Amino acid sequence: MIGWKDIPPGMVILEAGSASKIKTGSWRAAYRPKWIEENCIQCLLCWLFCPDNSVKVKDGKRGEFDYDYCKGCGICALECPGKKGNKAIVMEEEVK
Amino acid sequence: MTKVVAVTGNEAVANAFRQIEPDVCAAYPITPQTELMQRFAAFVSNGQVRTEMILVESEHSALSACVGAAAAGGRVATATSSQGLALMWEILFIASGLRLPIVMPVVNRALSAPINIHCDHSDAMGARDSGWIQLWSENAQEAYDNTIQAFRIAEDMNIRLPVMICYDGFIISHSIERIEYLDDDVVKNFVGEYKPLYPLLDVENPKSYGPLILTDLYHEVRKAHSEVYKKVPKVVIEVAKEFEKISGRKYELFENYRLDDAEIGIVILNSAAGTTKDLIDEYRDRGVKVGLLKPRLYRPFPYEEVGNALKNLKVLCVLDRADAFGGSFGPLYLDIAASLCNFSQKPILINRIYGLGGRDFMPEHAAEVIEELKDIAKTGKITKLKEYIGVRE
Amino acid sequence: MATPLNLKELSKQEVRFTAGHRMCAGCAAPIVVKMVLLAACDYSVVVASSTGCLEVSSCISTYTAWKVPWIHNAFENAAATLSGVETMYKALKKRGKIDKDIKFIAICGDGGTYDIGFQSLSGAMERGHDMLYICYDNGAYMNTGIQRSSATPTFADTTTCPAGAVIPGKPQQRKDLTRIMAAHGLPYVAQASPSHWPDLMKKVRKAIEIQGPKFINIFTPCNRGWRSRNDDAILLSRLAVETCFWPLYEVEDGVTRITVKPKDKKPLIEFLKAQGRFKHLFEPGKEKMIEHLQEMIDKNWESLLKEEEMTLPKEEGNK
Ligand SMILES: Cc1ncc(C[n+]2csc(CCOP(=O)(O)OP(=O)(O)O)c2C)c(N)n1
Ligand code: SF4
Ligand code: SF4
Ligand code: SF4
Ligand SMILES: [Mg+2]
């Protein structure tokens, strides 16, 4: 932690998005989401609804979860439409 | 080069604002400040300045808008009095904590209850530890001059703090006095282009203002903040020296009036200093060694310099135009006592409260104080440490 | 060209609110922030927030989740603060010191909007600043521990109006702030919900492109304060819309449009039963209270339908 001589005037934060250094994945308690690719219809709702930007998307295509930040809330799993009633996200027990 | 006019204090300060042309001004009416911003609004309406006005719905919003505007990255001013300043209280600390160079004339007026629109210093005194630099002004000329210097002090890259310019409601704000105006160009050059620090409107480099600081860092943030005030007196002196070059008028941290060989001293702020100085001249003519100290830079208070200027006196009365309710002393008294406490040789101190809610401070009041100080010098005995003067039994 | 509001295209845009913020798991507020910033993705924006959950969790110590310029001043003054930022922008533009096109957005809690910040909001809107004020309404002072606000629904159990033997949760009705803002005669006022994200984003985009003061009230579940599940933020916001607890509508130039009309209006009980804050209403003998709430909702919905009918131009009607 910085000492008083390094405090910027007004404690203004000059590095945008510096919170990404805080890995909130450690908050996950019991469950973590798991992606089942074959059931995925690429609707990207999980990407949109994730409060912690923990669904990676590249070129408009869904990728893996970002467990560095995922807090395990389960919104993505609940909202995932999946394919023919089969969810593409399930919550499974956290492995620590 | 200069122009001599007869104007009110408010008009003089409005004219300083016109010459400086802040980017944004917020305004909300309150007596006796109202006239100042009214006059300035007329300059805006008539196209004499390019300032954008924010005609807010309260003083709380006035200062809040100033915080936003200053963080955005431009020159900002507002003005207030009394209840308006009290309503701003919460945001005063935020403006200084965020290091925003907002300039704000405070036209001193008593605080409610009971409601009263006339002069005393309880408003600005209540805000003295909010982290704003305070410059106090005896007359309209000083109010005008201090306003011009305030922008330079506030915006100094080593300082970046908000500044209040205090002058007495009605006594100065509404009385017509002889004033010397500087030329518009001279003022503009003196104040210079505004240089932003961390402008919010620099969207390419996004900054966050106003984080939550927890126990692991708050203490350090406050220490850093506290250190900045040490740099203020030097900057105030430098700016005053430059101002003297353009105006011929000399300003210091405080005015030392016939104090050097004095045995009896008075410390007093703002307009009542004028009356007191006249009385001091009379007493001097009669061989009484009396002098006066009138603080100008009241926050941060130059304790060491003031202590040195007063330590050789025998007796000293601090005259406060604000009481501190709750059994304490007047705020100015406490500062003077603190400035002297570590000297082995120091005067006997008394505190007198005068002029609340616009009660006139008359030459006989000053005389009464000097007479009492003469007695104390002779006997070494204080009858009353703190007392009101000019009050009916 | 404007970025189309579909997820494929939006997902290629930078999310200007990063992970690493400290909101609770499953909080809807960061979802709302994300949607708002995505809808505004074609613009440079400056954001102001009032003190509250979003503010304290998004910017702590030297860590900020914001990738746009952001300012927090105090609890009750985000609108006044942003009006200062916006006015400085105008001033510097006039002096030729800035040429960028910048949009100004406030994102504040219901306490900072309906209650303590109401005067500041009303003032800023009346003055006509070019800004979009968004309230993320989670129906209580969550940051200080779930105290009632004027946005708290009737009968909800909060820490300052706890459901007790004599007083059954909050006795008063909610302040209908959206209508109060519409009464300011603003060019654009709307209600939105993150469950209906295309509607929400369309409204934000529309608002941003209109000059002048705009207000959008966004339903924002808080699982901690509502004592619901961690995963139901979107589910609950959907139920709020489908039960007509939170109608989706906009008021533009005096015309009221209901933008999403539930096909089958669900009974309010479905919304209530998922939340611990209404648990006491399901005790025996309290049936009347749920009926009372349902009546309130029905009445509001009917009057909204009537208002739409009265204000909608003929050619647009009966869609
Ligand atoms: C003047 C003032 N009064 C009270 C508080 C304490 N306070 C901080 S946040 C808050 C509640 C915020 O509620 P809301 O705006 O609804 O946001 P939420 O936390 O629910 O997201 C309160 C009461 C404060 N910071 N300032
Ligand atoms: S919500 Fe489900 S189906 Fe849609 S992209 Fe995500 S994982 Fe795939
Ligand atoms: S569990 Fe929650 S935090 Fe984790 S990816 Fe899903 S929505 Fe995001
Ligand atoms: S208390 Fe509620 S609003 Fe606050 S962060 Fe947690 S879930 Fe979100
Ligand atoms: Mg709230």
Side-chain angles (χ1 to χ4, degrees), chain B residues 185-298:
Chain B
D185 289 351
V186 172
V187 173
K188 280 199 169 60
N189 276 334
F190 179 78
V191 174
E193 269 291 290
Y194 183 81
K195 288 187 208 69
L197 177 72
Y198 308 149
L200 206 55
L201 291 174
D202 173 12
V203 286
E204 259 87 62
N205 300 290
K207 292 148 204 91
S208 287
Y209 270 80
L212 167 70
I213 301 294
L214 302 170
T215 45
D216 58 357
L217 192 58
Y218 190 85
H219 208 53
E220 283 70 27
V221 172
R222 284 327 218 175
K223 165 71 178 165
H225 193 58
S226 168
E227 285 294 311
V228 180
Y229 295 88
K230 292 185 182 164
K231 301 181 191 164
V232 174
K234 190 168 157 263
V235 173
V236 171
I237 297 279
E238 280 166 14
V239 170
K241 279 193 183 132
E242 279 189 52
F243 188 77
E244 189 182 352
K245 283 185 208 146
I246 60 164
S247 67
R249 290 184 291 277
K250 192 174 170 65
Y251 285 91
E252 290 175 291
L253 301 180
F254 51 85
E255 183 184 340
N256 170 332
Y257 190 77
R258 307 188 83 163
L259 205 57
D260 291 341
D261 65 336
E263 290 169 0
I264 293 172
I266 288 176
V267 177
I268 195 163
L269 282 164
N270 276 15
S271 64
T275 314
T276 312
K277 282 187 248 177
D278 291 345
L279 241 286
I280 285 174
D281 290 345
E282 283 181 28
Y283 272 89
R284 280 277 179 182
D285 291 346
R286 285 187 261 147
V288 182
K289 288 186 171 173
V290 53
L292 170 146
L293 186 145
K294 180 190 76 178
R296 172 178 178 245
L297 178 67
Y298 183 60

Side-chain angles (χ1 to χ4, degrees), chain C residues 137-182:
Chain C
D137 182 351
N138 54 26
Y141 300 156
M142 296 309 177
N143 184 49
T144 36
I146 323 162
Q147 293 81 26
R148 64 89 83 182
S149 77
S150 59
T152 302
T154 310
F155 298 150
D157 176 44
T158 74
T159 53
T160 45
C161 55
V166 181
I167 301 171
K170 181 180 167 179
Q172 302 83 3
Q173 61 172 1
R174 287 183 73 247
K175 184 194 275 185
D176 195 341
L177 186 68
T178 310
R179 304 191 73 79
I180 295 169
M181 294 323 292

Side-chain angles (χ1 to χ4, degrees), chain C residues 85-317:
Chain C
V85 180
E86 185 261 356
T87 307
M88 182 55 77
Y89 170 69
K90 266 198 338 222
L92 296 183
K93 249 196 161 169
K94 196 160 76 179
R95 295 189 189 204
K97 288 188 178 176
I98 197 164
D99 56 5
K100 277 227 134 54
D101 198 16
I102 303 177
K103 303 289 182 187
F104 300 91
I105 307 179
I107 310 182
C108 306
D110 49 289
T113 304
Y114 285 64
D115 290 347
I116 198 167
F118 181 57
Q119 174 184 320
S120 168
L121 168 64
S122 178
M125 296 285 113
E126 181 271 336
R127 293 194 297 274
H129 296 280
D130 187 20
M131 61 159 85
L132 167 59
Y133 189 105
I134 286 173
C135 174
Y136 69 96
D137 182 351
N138 54 26
Y141 300 156
M142 296 309 177
N143 184 49
T144 36
I146 323 162
Q147 293 81 26
R148 64 89 83 182
S149 77
S150 59
T152 302
T154 310
F155 298 150
D157 176 44
T158 74
T159 53
T160 45
C161 55
V166 181
I167 301 171
K170 181 180 167 179
Q172 302 83 3
Q173 61 172 1
R174 287 183 73 247
K175 184 194 275 185
D176 195 341
L177 186 68
T178 310
R179 304 191 73 79
I180 295 169
M181 294 323 292
H184 280 64
L186 308 183
Y188 191 78
V189 170
Q191 273 195 178
S193 161
S195 52
H196 295 67
W197 60 270
D199 178 72
L200 184 152
M201 288 203 197
K202 245 187 267 165
K203 284 170 176 165
V204 171
R205 181 160 287 180
K206 191 169 180 179
I208 254 187
E209 285 169 358
I210 293 171
Q211 279 286 315
K214 290 87 54 177
F215 176 83
I216 303 182
N217 206 352
I218 303 184
F219 191 75
T220 309
C222 155
N223 57 60
R224 187 170 154 262
W226 298 6
R227 282 177 281 135
S228 66
R229 295 161 51 112
N230 275 1
D231 61 0
D232 63 6
I234 299 301
L235 179 88
L236 282 179
S237 48
R238 192 178 296 118
L239 279 172
V241 175
E242 290 173 345
T243 57
C244 295
F245 176 86
W246 191 264
L248 302 184
Y249 68 100
E250 60 187 14
V251 183
E252 193 182 356
D253 293 330
V255 176
T256 301
R257 279 185 204 86
I258 301 173
T259 52
V260 175
K261 275 190 192 135
K263 278 196 206 76
D264 302 298
K265 183 160 163 271
K266 288 191 171 156
L268 183 67
I269 201 162
E270 292 195 27
F271 172 68
L272 302 177
K273 73 182 178 202
Q275 304 172 52
R277 62 177 173 161
F278 296 115
K279 194 165 141 242
H280 57 290
L281 299 182
F282 293 88
E283 290 161 7
K286 301 264 177 81
E287 297 77 8
K288 277 258 160 352
M289 294 171 69
I290 295 186
E291 275 169 39
H292 175 68
L293 290 178
Q294 183 68 59
E295 279 162 22
M296 280 167 64
I297 297 297
D298 292 345
K299 209 173 110 209
N300 282 343
W301 178 242
E302 287 306 319
S303 79
L304 189 65
L305 285 170
K306 257 195 215 112
E307 185 180 305
E308 183 187 49
E309 203 181 295
M310 277 170 60
T311 59
L312 210 59
K314 284 266 150 13
E315 60 276 19
E316 245 190 88

Side-chain angles (χ1 to χ4, degrees), chain B residues 21-23 50 52 54-55 57-58 64-65 67-69 74 90-91 94 200 203-204 206-210 212, chain C residues 59-61 64 67-73 76-77 80-81 84-85 87-88 91 94-95 97 100 119-120 127:
Chain B
E21 215 184 343
D23 297 300
R50 291 168 296 174
E52 288 284 338
I54 313 180
L55 303 171
E57 81 300 333
S58 73
S64 299
V67 164
E90 182 196 28
I91 312 305
I94 295 174
L200 206 55
V203 286
E204 259 87 62
K207 292 148 204 91
S208 287
Y209 270 80
L212 167 70
Chain C
C59 191
I60 305 183
S61 196
T64 180
K67 287 189 152 186
V68 293
W70 177 82
I71 183 165
H72 159 242
N73 185 344
E76 65 291 72
N77 63 0
T81 305
V85 180
T87 307
M88 182 55 77
K94 196 160 76 179
R95 295 189 189 204
K97 288 188 178 176
K100 277 227 134 54
Q119 174 184 320
S120 168
R127 293 194 297 274

